[in-house]
Amino acid sequence: MSEGLFEGRNGSRAPRPGDWTILLVAGALVTALWLGGPAGQGSRAEVRVEDTVVARLDLRQPGTYTIDGRLGPSVLEVADGAVRFVDSACSSHRCVASGAHRHAGEVAACLPNRVTVAVRGGRGGYDTLHY
Amino acid sequence: MAEARTLTPTADDRRIAALAALAVTIHLAEAALPSPLPGFKPGLANVITVAALFLWGWSTAAWVTALRVLVGGLLLGTFLSPTFALSAGGAVASLAALAVAVRLPATGPLGASILAAMAHTTGQFLVAWWLFIPHPDLPLLLPPLLTLAVIAGTVSGTIATVVVNGLRRE
């Protein structure tokens, strides 16, 4: 490799005002994105059995609901703006163990009983991240 | 007998080849390193592109990037795969950003690199959106990805500044 190979034509000195401006604007933009980003409080829960929506629950109204799934009843409870499974006709009770869900986009499911509950309304948040 | 013709590489050709080789090497080394976050790479090969932009102009930078994406794809076995489409989408977007950045007043490799990194992420994001997963929640990935882009752009821009100043030799 000859000496002259990397001889430049024009160049610049170390960071100039424009560089700092870009860094500041980029930082501000990213901050704004974070602040405007996720995740909102959900306002309602959509209950499905298989693919059919069987109920829409208002998360601001506490109550207990019994949903008939494929195996039997699933009991849902709405309290403090969140929805959770309190019982279900399955053996593992993973749905109950998943706890209360209040953020838009969150989903609880009792797969054996084919019952899912999705929190809707407000801005969506992360449900899961995968690559 | 047909007249024998020789293709003589010009100084530009040699320079582009050397720069592309450097960029491909960094590209490969980065692919071999475990990534701190799946789907994210610091993009240090961009140092070569940005340095080329400020020392020899946009077309050299574009050549180096195109060769890096092509050869890098061939060597990693991702050529024409979804990964390659993402890589190419990011490269096109960042070259577009660099074409703008080099015309901005009082802006050097640092600013250009930050712009290029953000454009790269945005370009990749759009390709991912259009080609693979037009999921309504995908934009939720933008804040963390762009934050990493700004950080990575700042790091590689700082390196590019040092490289440009070092090679410029008063």
Side-chain angles (χ1 to χ4, degrees):
Chain A
M1 209 178 283
S2 75
E3 265 283 283
L5 197 59
F6 284 115
E7 246 164 50
R9 200 172 61 207
N10 54 357
S12 63
R13 334 238 143 226
R16 296 189 286 169
D19 293 312
W20 300 123
T21 310
I22 289 173
L23 183 55
L24 274 177
V25 171
L29 180 78
V30 162
T31 311
L33 273 177
W34 278 107
L35 295 179
Q41 181 85 11
S43 59
R44 63 201 146 82
E46 223 166 56
V47 185
R48 283 189 170 81
V49 177
E50 310 266 339
D51 281 336
T52 322
V53 177
V54 295
R56 286 193 174 84
L57 313 177
D58 187 340
L59 292 186
R60 285 159 300 196
Q61 285 190 315
T64 306
Y65 307 86
T66 304
I67 308 293
D68 284 319
R70 199 173 70 163
L71 302 176
S74 285
V75 183
L76 298 170
E77 182 192 67
V78 174
D80 303 325
V83 62
R84 64 191 196 96
F85 277 90
V86 288
D87 193 20
S88 191
C90 57
S91 54
S92 68
H93 285 76
R94 285 180 212 278
C95 49
V96 178
S98 79
H101 303 271
R102 63 182 72 247
H103 298 294
E106 283 188 315
V107 176
C110 178
L111 295 183
N113 207 21
R114 301 291 194 269
V115 177
T116 60
V117 183
V119 182
R120 303 282 182 218
R123 274 179 314 203
Y126 301 100
D127 52 353
T128 175
L129 293 181
H130 49 91
Y131 291 90
Chain B
M1 202 177 97
E3 193 188 336
R5 292 175 60 190
T6 333
L7 277 175
T8 316
T10 63
D12 277 344
D13 294 336
R14 292 180 196 279
R15 184 185 303 121
I16 287 169
L19 291 168
L22 280 173
V24 168
T25 308
I26 298 173
H27 187 91
L28 292 182
E30 228 172 45
L33 285 176
S35 168
L37 213 154
F40 174 74
K41 288 204 307 175
L44 287 174
N46 203 42
V47 168
I48 307 293
T49 301
V50 172
L53 173 75
F54 280 90
L55 292 168
W56 297 287
W58 188 82
S59 71
T60 301
W63 267 110
V64 170
T65 302
L67 286 170
R68 170 178 65 78
V69 171
L70 182 70
V71 178
L74 285 171
L75 289 177
L76 291 174
T78 58
F79 184 56
L80 296 185
S81 75
T83 312
F84 183 78
L86 289 173
S87 188
V92 168
S94 80
L95 282 173
L98 287 178
V100 175
V102 81
R103 285 175 177 77
L104 291 176
T107 301
L110 177 59
S113 186
I114 295 170
L115 284 182
M118 296 183 76
H120 190 277
T121 297
T122 311
Q124 277 196 333
F125 179 84
L126 292 177
V127 170
W129 178 270
W130 281 326
L131 291 184
F132 308 127
I133 26 177
H135 188 273
D137 281 344
L138 201 63
L140 294 173
L141 280 172
L142 272 180
L145 286 180
L146 280 176
T147 305
L148 290 170
V150 172
I151 295 169
T154 307
V155 171
S156 65
T158 306
I159 301 174
T161 305
V162 174
V163 169
V164 168
N165 287 335
L167 292 177
R168 201 161 22 77
R169 275 185 304 184
E170 330 289 323

